């Protein structure tokens, strides 16, 4: 049985803890490896390595840092198929989806390659007589990244390249459900020339997380996961005096107006609802149909769903398994609850016949109609292939429904009316909005993040917010004295 350890100070290591977690192939249900679950001591060793490395890495020139980032980008690009295979083997998403995840991560690496422009400060000459002022941004030191199971490559790459390019050292704690991809990224970073200790990976569970949240040498924490855990991370880390960006859960709505192209909307609903088996924080899980289009739209969605193949992601299927047996059972229980509450199961994923091992963690795409806002399949983040259709009478009712949600991660509106689209993007209380785009994930040079209970903290991931998060500003006011001037003056400094 393969034992997966940690990556600390430039090499793979085993920790001191005897605790282990199981890693499965979700398409077969078979255990493929065990992962070490770090103790507090193991985490402290990684933080100490990062602390040592941060002292010299912060002084590395921007030319040196970007050279490492460019080399790392080339390695990831050349080996992207290998990375996709590792994702599929441990997470279960189909290979095409895994390849797309790698591509979105590459875009953040490419953004980080431009860090010299992102770190440029300002300069003002003669703010007072013979006095100049300028601003600059400097690294924080050691930062922690805690990433989820659903994007084992993309989410670490939202944070790590920007943090490293800005001059920080990183301790990454990936999900223990699919840990191998993070270790590959760390090895490839080292191969690209990143000094030992600048990027460390510790595998673990809550003990590792809590140690990172409390360690005095860790200056900032980036987290992606469910809202309850994001709130916990934010509260505990800020109490310890750390800077935190904790991205939480979502219940993303797709509003379809009567004038929309219903074929386009149906395609989008299927793609955004069931890609990666719905295990995306930007998945569409609530479709709000503004009457009178609901009947026709539901029929077109069901027609497309009938042609989907659920099965092993290495067999060219459309949708893979869920990540663990426990998670599949949890999502299935929501389908049971939806039926019990009176929602109409147009397509019932519990009846799926997968193209894969019968012991895999299977649940097929599920479509509910006539869902009401009080049902758990609407109120809760299911994180699975369950799409709920809610029917409303007007645009105003649709907006009120979306804005009443405690979440505010992503949303989309489908319409051919530019005025309605512009009004929606202005009125909706959500951080990322798509107009005829179902999953409005920003490009790397913009920042990713939601509102309300989808984000705890002020700054979003990557883009300008990412650079601001991993640096702190400093303003310098300087005077190089002219020997003609001098003398003592106890008055308050003024601009003259």
């Amino acid at each position: 049985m393969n034992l997966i350890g940690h990556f600390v100070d430039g090499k793979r290591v085993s920790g001191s803890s005897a605790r282990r977690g199981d890693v499965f192939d979700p398409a077969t249900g078979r255990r493929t490896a065990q992962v070490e679950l770090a103790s507090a001591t193991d985490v402290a060793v990684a933080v100490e390595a990062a602390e040592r490395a941060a002292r010299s890495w912060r002084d590395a020139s921007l030319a040196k840092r970007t050279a490492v980032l460019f080399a790392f980008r080339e390695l990831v690009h050349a080996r992207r198929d290998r990375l996709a295979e590792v994702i599929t083997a441990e997470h279960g998403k189909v290979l095409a989806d895994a390849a797309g995840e790698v591509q979105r991560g590459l875009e953040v690496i490419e953004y980080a390659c431009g860090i010299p422009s992102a770190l440029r400060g300002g300069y003002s000459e003669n703010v007072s007589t013979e006095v100049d002022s300028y601003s600059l941004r400097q690294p924080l030191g050691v930062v922690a990244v805690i990433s989820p199971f659903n994007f084992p490559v993309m989410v670490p790459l939202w944070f790590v390249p920007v943090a490293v390019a800005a001059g920080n050292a990183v301790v990454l704690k990936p999900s223990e459900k699919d840990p191998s991809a993070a270790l590959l990224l760390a090895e490839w970073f080292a191969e690209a020339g990143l000094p030992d200790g600048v990027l460390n990976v510790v595998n673990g569970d809550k003990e590792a997380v809590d140690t990172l949240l409390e360690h005095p040498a860790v200056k900032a924490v980036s987290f992606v996961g469910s809202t309850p855990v994001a709130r916990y991370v934010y509260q505990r880390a800020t109490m310890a005096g750390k800077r935190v960006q904790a991205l939480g859960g979502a219940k993303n709505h797709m509003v379809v107006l009567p004038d929309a192209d219903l074929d386009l909307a149906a395609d989008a609903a299927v793609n955004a609802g069931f890609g990666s088996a719905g295990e995306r924080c930007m998945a569409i899980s609530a479709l709000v149909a503004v009457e009178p289009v609901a009947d026709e739209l539901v029929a077109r969605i069901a027609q497309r769903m009938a042609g989907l193949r659920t099965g092993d992601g290495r067999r060219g299927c459309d949708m893979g398994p869920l990540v663990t047996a426990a998670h599949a059972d949890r999502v299935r229980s929501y389908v049971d609850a939806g039926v019990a509450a009176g929602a109409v199961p147009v397509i019932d994923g519990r009846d799926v016949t997968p193209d894969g091992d019968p012991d895999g963690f299977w649940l097929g795409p599920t479509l509910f109609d006539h869902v009401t806002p009080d049902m758990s399949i609407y109120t809760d983040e299911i994180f699975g292939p369950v799409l709920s259709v809610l029917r409303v009478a007007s645009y105003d009712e649709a907006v009120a429904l979306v804005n009443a949600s405690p979440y505010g991660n992503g949303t989309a509106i489908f319409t051919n009316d530019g005025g309605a689209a512009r009004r929606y993007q202005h009125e909706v209380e959500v951080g990322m909005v798509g107009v005829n785009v179902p999953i409005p994930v920003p490009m790397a040079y913009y920042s990713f993040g939601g509102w309300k209970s989808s984000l705890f903290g002020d700054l979003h991931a990557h883009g300008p917010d990412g650079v601001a998060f991993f640096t702190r500003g400093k303003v310098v006011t300087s005077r190089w004295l002219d020997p003609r001037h001098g003398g003592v003056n106890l008055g308050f400094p003024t601009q003259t």
Side-chain angles (χ1 to χ4, degrees), residues 35 47 56 97 154 164 184 197 227 267 290 293-294 340 355 381 402 407 420 474:
V35 60
V47 173
S56 56
D97 194 28
M154 185 182 75
V164 166
L184 282 179
T227 286
D267 288 343
V290 180
V293 301
D355 182 2
E381 183 184 30
V402 177
Y407 300 106
K474 180 180 288 185

Side-chain angles (χ1 to χ4, degrees), residues 123 129-132 134 477-483 485:
Y123 189 98
T129 304
E130 298 180 349
V131 175
D132 307 322
Y134 56 95
T477 303
S478 68
R479 168 185 283 164
W480 294 103
L481 294 179
D482 187 315
H485 302 288

Side-chain angles (χ1 to χ4, degrees), residues 26 40 254 475 479 493-494:
M254 173 175 152
V475 177
R479 168 185 283 164
T494 59

Side-chain angles (χ1 to χ4, degrees), residues 401-422:
L401 181 67
V402 177
N403 285 346
S405 172
Y407 300 106
N409 207 45
T411 188
I413 185 169
F414 277 72
T415 179
N416 286 315
D417 184 336
R422 189 173 187 277

Side-chain angles (χ1 to χ4, degrees), residues 186-234:
E187 288 183 327
W188 297 351
F189 244 129
E191 187 178 343
L194 191 69
D196 294 350
V198 176
L199 174 58
N200 307 274
V201 179
V202 289
N203 286 303
D205 52 10
K206 186 174 183 295
E207 182 175 346
V209 171
D210 286 345
T211 305
L212 289 170
L213 300 183
E214 295 172 354
H215 199 294
V218 175
K219 303 303 180 185
V221 177
S222 299
F223 171 86
V224 177
S226 68
T227 286
V229 181
R231 183 181 289 110
Y232 170 84
V233 167
Y234 179 78

Side-chain angles (χ1 to χ4, degrees), residues 94-96 309-320 354-356 362:
V94 301
L95 278 170
R309 284 176 57 215
T310 300
D312 193 318
R314 294 156 292 209
R315 298 185 183 181
C317 295
D318 299 300
M319 193 185 89
D355 182 2
W362 306 112

Side-chain angles (χ1 to χ4, degrees), residues 117-197:
S117 294
L119 288 180
R120 283 187 302 185
Y123 189 98
S124 298
E125 185 181 28
N126 254 25
V127 296
S128 186
T129 304
E130 298 180 349
V131 175
D132 307 322
S133 287
Y134 56 95
S135 63
L136 46 86
R137 302 203 67 85
Q138 294 182 327
L140 304 178
V142 178
V143 300
V145 175
I146 303 168
S147 61
F149 73 81
N150 59 321
F151 287 106
V153 167
M154 185 182 75
V155 170
L157 291 180
W158 278 356
F159 304 108
V160 174
V162 178
V164 166
N168 300 284
V170 180
V171 179
L172 167 63
K173 207 296 289 183
S175 171
E176 65 274 21
K177 296 180 178 66
D178 44 11
S180 295
L183 293 169
L184 282 179
L185 293 175
E187 288 183 327
W188 297 351
F189 244 129
E191 187 178 343
L194 191 69
D196 294 350

